[in-house]
Amino acid sequence: MTGIAAASFFSNSCRFGSCGLQFESLAELIVHIEDNHIDTDPRVLEKQEQQQPTYLALSYINRQVGNGEKNNASLTH
């Protein structure tokens, strides 16, 4: 990966739709994406799980693994 490509890859810019907001840290970007671009309604998440979604809030995954599932939990069914 070239320097320009690497710099683009590691930017803290939101790339959902035409959002484009910039953040000081990756953690802030993740919080923004989870709060603004990913639905966390349990009914919606259940439906997404059944449809094999392309994305899912990392906090949802961590919450599920933290509630007693095995550490090698898989996101695929």
Side-chain angles (χ1 to χ4, degrees):
M1 185 179 299
T2 66
I4 293 172
S8 175
F9 180 76
F10 292 111
S11 73
N12 294 325
S13 175
C14 181
R15 298 177 192 259
F16 271 85
S18 59
C19 184
L21 291 176
Q22 295 282 348
F23 297 89
E24 291 292 318
S25 69
L26 179 59
E28 291 174 318
L29 173 61
I30 290 170
V31 168
H32 163 76
I33 291 171
E34 290 179 347
D35 289 349
N36 296 283
H37 300 295
I38 300 176
D39 199 335
T40 57
D41 182 319
R43 294 169 294 188
V44 172
L45 292 174
E46 180 68 26
K47 185 176 180 182
Q48 285 179 338
E49 286 177 355
Q50 293 171 359
Q51 296 175 352
Q52 295 294 315
T54 56
Y55 62 87
L56 190 62
L58 183 57
S59 58
Y60 176 75
I61 295 167
N62 288 337
R63 186 169 44 248
Q64 296 305 311
V65 173
N67 285 334
E69 289 186 13
K70 295 179 182 175
N71 287 338
N72 62 352
S74 174
L75 297 179
T76 60
H77 293 94

